Amino acid sequence: MRPINAAGFAIHSAIHKARPDVVAICHSHSEYGRAFAALGRELDMLTQDSCAFFRSHSVYNNFGGVVLSEEEGRNIVNALGQNKALILQNHGLLTVGQSIEEAVFWFVSMEKCCKTQLLVDAAAAGRGAKIHTIQEADAEATTKIVGSTIAGWFSGLPLFQMIEKESNGEHLL
């Protein structure tokens, strides 16, 4: 029998208990996610892709080490709220979806948005330039198209189709 990941269980079980709409959760300590999470802030609306997270992501800024308690799981749930993504300060990224494809797509997309944010922040600081964010009304209109559950599923599906094709089905258990 394989041992259970206690930290993963504390987080995932709390989310599934609190959010019956969530079918899948993605969480990792990805390179750009960790770097951006160290800033302890939400993404700026810089691109069409980041608009998918407009008013649907938040930051959990109470990092207290490896998550092992039910209480910490509940705190993370509270920080996530009804959002699709959570930036865990000094930790990484977490996304949820009503399908595996949706949750995976939000994770991959948020990782790319973190990379873009870090690059833009560095370029602006290096040149003393002003960062031009997307206007709130435009971000809101854009998220209705690119940030919906169906958009997440539809955008995530090709990732799985590519894995299927490239592995000739050998990825299956």
Side-chain angles (χ1 to χ4, degrees):
M1 183 177 223
R2 201 170 153 196
I4 190 166
N5 177 327
F9 185 80
I11 296 170
H12 291 241
S13 65
I15 293 171
H16 282 299
K17 186 185 280 185
R19 295 272 308 268
D21 62 309
V22 171
V23 171
I25 303 162
C26 293
H27 167 62
S28 184
H29 310 150
S30 56
E31 183 176 10
Y32 299 106
R34 281 179 304 171
F36 186 75
L39 300 174
R41 65 186 183 99
E42 293 182 7
L43 292 168
D44 292 334
M45 297 300 107
L46 299 174
T47 66
Q48 177 175 300
D49 295 335
S50 60
C51 288
F53 301 102
F54 179 71
R55 292 191 181 147
S56 63
H57 77 292
S58 53
V59 176
Y60 179 67
N61 57 14
N62 294 327
F63 178 76
V66 177
V67 177
L68 296 175
S69 71
E70 286 183 29
E71 180 183 357
E72 187 72 359
R74 285 191 300 271
N75 292 340
I76 289 171
V77 166
N78 290 336
L80 175 64
Q82 291 302 307
N83 293 323
K84 68 172 139 253
L86 182 64
I87 298 167
L88 299 149
Q89 185 176 315
N90 303 108
H91 189 145
L93 306 176
L94 182 145
T95 60
V96 300
Q98 293 180 21
S99 67
I100 295 168
E101 295 86 353
E102 180 190 6
V104 167
F105 178 73
W106 296 142
F107 188 89
V108 170
S109 183
M110 181 164 251
E111 172 73 359
K112 290 177 180 179
C113 289
C114 287
K115 180 180 181 180
T116 299
Q117 181 81 55
L118 291 165
L119 290 169
V120 169
D121 287 350
R127 299 193 49 92
K130 179 185 184 311
I131 297 174
H132 299 278
T133 58
I134 295 172
Q135 301 270 331
E136 194 167 303
D138 295 329
E140 188 168 7
T142 303
T143 199
K144 290 177 183 174
I145 298 166
V146 302
S148 68
T149 295
I150 193 72
W153 171 82
F154 185 77
S155 298
L157 187 59
L159 299 172
F160 288 90
Q161 292 168 332
M162 182 179 66
I163 292 167
E164 180 75 26
K165 182 178 181 186
E166 290 179 358
S167 70
N168 291 319
E170 291 181 24
H171 68 285
L172 300 172
L173 299 175

